[in-house]
Amino acid sequence: MATGEWTHEMGGQTANMGPDGRKWTHEMGGQTANMGPDGRKWTHEMGGQTPNMGPDGRKWTHEMGGQTTNMGPDGRKWTPGMGGQTTIIESNERSEVTSLGREFVTVFMQNHEFKETPQLELLVTGTKPSTSVTITINKSDFRKEVKVGNGETISVPITTNVEMSGTDTSPNSIVIKADFGVTVVSRSYKDGSGDTALLYPVRLWGVEYYIITPPWGADGAYTEFSVIGYESPTVINIYLKGAVSFQGQDYPKDSKLTLTLEPFQAIQIQSTDDLSGTKVVADHPVAVLSGHTCTEKNGDCGHVYVQLLPVASWGSSFFVPGISFQPKSDIAFIMSAQDTCIEYQSGEKIENRNVVAGELMQLEVTKSSPLFIHANEKIQVLFYGTGGTFNDIPFDPLLTNIQSTEHYGTAYELIGQDKFETNLAIIVSKTTAESGITVDGKLPEGIVWREIPGSEYSWAEYKFGSGFSYHTMQHLSVPFGLLIFGCSSSLTYGYLAPCIKAPVLTGSVVEGKLKF
């Protein structure tokens, strides 16, 4: 059956959804039910009963003779979960939990000093055989076409220097298109300064973001973020929390910068101030990257960046484990979009704090005391690796999102980086489910699980060698969280593992909240 179309035969009659997924008619006993052109709501009268599609247009239930049918959040495929069974979306690029997509747009922000030419690269991984992928640069002749197989990762060097510089706009966004769902990871490297980030597909973009930038930097370095437009001209309102100069005009802290991005245009904002808490509001969905040209805290400075999630995709419960090669401590950055009570536990210590919209909260994370965080409103959590020295080898800072428990998946890609001596995964799983996690279909060896105090979860590290490699980690039914880190001389990286399979979202994985 073609994607975007379904038929349902009952008593010889057939109902059809058009390939746009927006309209269908179902004739039964001479009655016709119509889905509105917005694809969000329908009613079907039968014996006086009316089932409704929720306002998000993603999920519906239709009770008939006591049976319940569920449409998955992709709107394309469904399976009924009954008797306590969990419905799993397999390799489905439409699930809002997975990292899969058919279209991505990104930029490379400034890495350290602009005078040095960076090594820019995309890692594209397929989930279907012979997937066609095209990478272009807007307003440029750059074009690469590649084929990627199921479970195959292809490195695509961006040989045209599109690194952004200063506070300015650029037309040269990178556009990645595929005919089936793929995951994309970007890498930006200069001598002793680099980072890696998971990219989110266009379908996961949003219209409201809060910026987080590490406040520590080397002399001459800048906090920075970028906003990227899509196919339509987009009005951007930026409520600044730091002083910025743009196109000859000074914008002080707490001022508003408004501009219109042309299709596939981006703006990079830089400042010597901490830009955390800056609010970005757009009239069409945009992508936002955030980071620092060269941040330093416990060691040498290094470039860090991450693609942020929009406010609509934040969560309320998080686990933040430490990393074994950090002898000191790292930091969890926490941001709220409204007045929020944040409760957290580290070891046996339990505390709470009230924060306001745009206020940056920082909590220490050590390898011996992971954090358990719960909030009464949705929040954004980032992990900032502070850098340092391990076994007499220096390593740089890193920055990555932390996924909420509501967005845990059941299968991930593990992609080892070729520039690193150590590639490791940090797993967070329900304690009762940890024995069911496999790597490439086999039980992993050498994993030591440790319980996270105050929760039903445990965490563990899994080392998967040096250099480039590809693996899959999964559990057949129970969602878990996964981060990937790497360490080598003067370099580190960290990012969310690309999720390729996830359950239908029905609510938070963590029940209740911390007890005081």
Side-chain angles (χ1 to χ4, degrees):
M1 184 180 295
T3 299
E5 182 178 3
W6 61 264
T7 59
H8 183 184
E9 297 187 4
M10 180 176 265
Q13 299 169 46
T14 304
N16 295 300
M17 178 180 284
D20 61 352
R22 290 181 173 176
K23 184 177 180 182
W24 61 266
T25 60
H26 185 179
E27 298 185 4
M28 180 175 265
Q31 301 176 43
T32 303
N34 294 299
M35 178 179 285
D38 62 351
R40 288 183 174 177
K41 184 178 180 182
W42 62 268
T43 59
H44 183 179
E45 297 185 3
M46 186 174 196
Q49 300 176 40
T50 304
N52 293 302
M53 178 177 284
D56 62 350
R58 287 179 176 170
K59 182 179 180 183
W60 60 267
T61 59
H62 185 177
E63 296 186 3
M64 185 179 237
Q67 299 176 35
T68 302
T69 302
N70 294 300
M71 180 179 285
D74 62 345
R76 290 178 177 175
K77 178 182 178 182
W78 62 267
T79 56
M82 299 181 71
Q85 299 178 41
T86 301
T87 301
I88 301 295
I89 301 297
E90 297 194 12
S91 297
N92 181 4
E93 69 272 17
R94 295 289 294 176
S95 167
E96 71 177 68
V97 172
T98 73
S99 312
L100 293 164
R102 300 187 189 190
E103 186 168 11
F104 302 75
V105 185
T106 193
V107 295
F108 286 95
M109 295 194 298
Q110 183 175 332
N111 178 348
H112 200 12
E113 296 182 355
F114 184 69
K115 62 185 179 183
E116 182 185 348
T117 302
Q119 298 177 39
L120 308 177
E121 182 182 13
L122 299 174
L123 299 177
V124 182
T125 304
T127 57
K128 299 286 185 182
S130 193
T131 298
S132 296
V133 182
T134 302
I135 299 99
T136 57
I137 296 175
N138 188 50
K139 305 293 185 181
S140 166
D141 293 332
F142 180 94
R143 181 183 181 90
K144 288 192 177 180
E145 298 179 0
V146 297
K147 290 278 190 180
V148 60
N150 182 20
E152 180 185 13
T153 299
I154 291 180
S155 168
V156 182
I158 305 300
T159 51
T160 299
N161 187 2
V162 291
E163 179 187 21
M164 301 186 76
S165 175
T167 297
D168 204 355
T169 59
S170 170
N172 299 136
S173 61
I174 299 109
V175 182
I176 304 103
K177 293 185 177 182
D179 59 355
F180 293 105
V182 297
T183 66
V184 182
V185 171
S186 73
R187 304 204 298 180
S188 172
Y189 284 97
K190 292 182 178 179
D191 185 24
S193 176
D195 202 4
T196 299
L198 174 67
L199 301 185
Y200 296 115
V202 170
R203 65 183 180 81
L204 296 183
W205 291 10
V207 296
E208 182 182 6
Y209 293 83
Y210 279 84
I211 302 301
I212 295 178
T213 56
W216 311 281
D219 292 340
Y222 301 95
T223 58
E224 61 183 357
F225 68 90
S226 289
V227 183
I228 311 164
Y230 189 45
E231 294 178 333
S232 302
T234 302
V235 177
I236 311 293
N237 289 298
I238 302 173
Y239 301 86
L240 293 162
K241 288 301 181 181
V244 167
S245 293
F246 174 61
Q247 295 182 343
Q249 183 174 344
D250 292 334
Y251 294 84
K253 179 181 177 181
D254 295 325
S255 64
K256 182 174 77 168
L257 190 164
T258 299
L259 75 155
T260 298
L261 291 178
E262 296 303 317
F264 299 103
Q265 186 182 34
I267 182 173
Q268 176 175 268
I269 301 288
Q270 291 185 339
S271 179
T272 55
D273 295 340
D274 183 7
L275 292 170
S276 296
T278 295
K279 183 179 178 180
V280 177
V281 179
D283 66 347
H284 295 290
V286 294
V288 176
L289 306 179
S290 189
H292 203 292
T293 61
C294 210
T295 179
E296 64 177 2
K297 184 161 176 62
N298 286 332
D300 295 335
C301 86
H303 175 52
V304 298
Y305 71 102
V306 64
Q307 182 172 346
L308 298 177
L309 285 168
V311 171
S313 296
W314 291 2
S316 58
S317 294
F318 299 80
F319 294 101
V320 189
I323 46 181
S324 60
F325 58 77
Q326 175 56 272
K328 296 184 179 181
S329 62
D330 295 312
I331 294 172
F333 289 138
I334 304 170
M335 180 68 65
S336 65
Q338 56 188 306
D339 293 352
T340 303
C341 179
I342 297 174
E343 306 163 339
Y344 56 96
Q345 180 167 349
S346 178
E348 300 302 321
K349 185 179 180 181
I350 303 174
E351 297 186 60
N352 66 2
R353 188 184 305 178
N354 293 318
V355 297
V356 298
E359 178 183 348
L360 182 67
M361 180 173 167
Q362 301 179 26
L363 296 175
E364 276 196 354
V365 185
T366 67
K367 59 184 177 183
S368 60
S369 296
L371 283 172
F372 176 20
I373 302 168
H374 183 84
N376 67 338
E377 303 289 350
K378 288 186 175 183
I379 56 175
Q380 174 178 222
V381 179
L382 268 60
F383 179 92
Y384 174 71
T386 59
T389 303
F390 180 67
N391 291 339
D392 297 323
I393 298 175
F395 61 93
D396 283 353
L398 60 89
L399 185 67
T400 182
N401 287 304
I402 296 293
Q403 66 198 129
S404 65
T405 57
E406 299 97 311
H407 291 86
Y408 281 0
T410 52
Y412 298 85
E413 296 168 342
L414 287 181
I415 304 171
Q417 306 288 308
D418 58 0
K419 300 179 186 294
F420 293 87
E421 298 168 6
T422 300
N423 294 291
L424 61 89
I426 296 184
I427 316 160
V428 177
S429 167
K430 278 195 171 182
T431 303
T432 55
E434 62 191 36
S435 61
I437 291 176
T438 60
V439 177
D440 298 332
K442 300 177 182 178
L443 293 175
E445 298 179 355
I447 287 186
V448 178
W449 288 96
R450 287 166 281 187
E451 293 187 2
I452 300 176
S455 77
E456 300 175 348
Y457 284 73
S458 296
W459 69 286
E461 281 192 351
Y462 173 69
K463 294 182 179 179
F464 56 104
S466 61
F468 177 80
S469 64
Y470 174 88
H471 309 275
T472 56
M473 181 177 288
Q474 67 175 337
H475 192 288
L476 291 179
S477 59
V478 182
F480 62 99
L482 191 64
L483 292 162
I484 302 177
F485 295 98
C487 180
S488 195
S489 179
S490 298
L491 288 174
T492 54
Y493 74 87
Y495 66 98
L496 282 181
C499 177
I500 55 175
K501 188 185 298 184
V504 173
L505 288 181
T506 56
S508 173
V509 177
V510 175
E511 295 82 15
K513 57 191 218 177
L514 299 179
K515 305 298 182 184
F516 292 91

